[in-house]
Amino acid sequence: MAKSIAIVEDDPDQRANYADAITKKGYEVVAYGSREEALVGMNNRLPDLVILDIILGDEVDAGFQLCRALLGKSPSLPVIFLTERIDEIDKISGLRLGAWDYLPKPISLDYLAERISSLLRINEVRSEHSEQESPTAKHVGDLTIDQEALLVSWKGHRIDLSGTEFRMLAKLVRQPGHAVSYESLMNATMQSLVTNNTINTHMRNIRKKFEKVDSAFAGIKSEYGFGYRWWRP
């Protein structure tokens, strides 16, 4: 069965272009032109992935509001922001909400299709391996990380990280106790428009996800002005 993609974009030409390109890649696509329309359309059945613009009609932050509502229903839903708003504060806001990716317009339709494929593959692999530990899993103290299955758990509790967050954590735990520079972490994100503040936001999100299952979590340490390290006793 084809994976379902929802596109929320108020510009009819862009909406049609995205829908056409994604449909040609074999996905089932539903497109919406407003936040209200999208909320109604996705009320009964959520798609496998959502692509959101931020400004929808007269609502300047509609995409943020919609993201918050959708992730409230399904915290592991992959969300991509695709927008002309590329200021750092907007990107940080999107990442704090739990978006998996933040892409600037204009964008190559082939690249967009590749990002969709990558995020869906991550979600699919996680679902396949969620019930049992993979033989490729690595243990670092109370942390279990599997780069093949893209799964993370802490003290036996699964932690759902976005693809970017997973790559950054994997970079940190490669050498526990050793500081990892901002530059190395930027490379690990595989994203453009990355600054130190963006890295800090990712790290804050990762910490919060660990703290949800362990309020005393203190595994990620900041190295002021340099980067971060994974703490080991």
Side-chain angles (χ1 to χ4, degrees), residues 126 129-130 132-161 166 169-170 173 210 213 217 230:
R126 283 178 175 173
H129 292 81
S130 61
Q132 57 184 6
E133 184 176 305
S134 166
T136 60
K138 173 184 177 182
H139 296 274
V140 183
D142 291 319
L143 177 75
T144 302
I145 183 167
D146 187 344
Q147 289 192 260
E148 225 174 81
L150 302 168
L151 289 171
V152 173
S153 64
W154 176 254
K155 297 183 177 180
H157 298 279
R158 174 171 160 175
I159 309 291
D160 285 318
L161 301 179
F166 182 91
L169 181 66
V173 303
F210 276 86
V213 301
F217 174 76
W230 180 262

Side-chain angles (χ1 to χ4, degrees), residues 155 211 214-219:
K155 297 183 177 180
E211 288 167 356
D214 179 6
S215 60
F217 174 76

Side-chain angles (χ1 to χ4, degrees), residues 64 81 87-102 161-162 164-166 168-169 172 182 185-186 189 191 193-211 220 222 227-228:
F64 290 150
F81 279 111
D87 288 345
E88 184 177 49
I89 186 62
D90 290 319
K91 184 171 185 177
I92 289 173
S93 296
L95 295 174
R96 283 179 177 171
L97 284 172
W100 284 41
D101 214 341
Y102 195 102
L161 301 179
S162 71
T164 299
E165 291 166 352
F166 182 91
M168 291 178 62
L169 181 66
L172 276 187
Y182 276 110
L185 292 168
M186 288 176 189
T189 69
Q191 294 180 337
L193 305 172
V194 180
T195 66
N196 287 6
N197 282 340
T198 307
I199 297 300
N200 292 338
T201 297
H202 281 303
M203 286 300 176
R204 189 179 300 114
N205 287 346
I206 295 170
R207 279 177 173 145
K208 284 181 179 178
K209 291 179 179 181
F210 276 86
E211 288 167 356
I220 297 175
S222 174
Y228 291 84

Side-chain angles (χ1 to χ4, degrees), residues 32-46:
Y32 305 102
S34 69
R35 180 175 64 90
E36 294 86 352
E37 186 183 347
L39 282 173
V40 171
M42 290 185 272
N43 185 49
N44 295 322
R45 177 175 175 264
L46 289 174

Side-chain angles (χ1 to χ4, degrees), residues 1-6 27-28 42 45-51 74 76-79 100 116 119-120 123:
M1 184 177 178
K3 296 289 186 181
S4 59
I5 311 295
Y27 298 111
E28 174 188 316
M42 290 185 272
R45 177 175 175 264
L46 289 174
D48 294 300
L49 181 145
V50 181
I51 300 170
S74 178
S76 61
L77 177 69
V79 173
W100 284 41
I116 292 170
L119 297 187
L120 288 175
N123 234 18

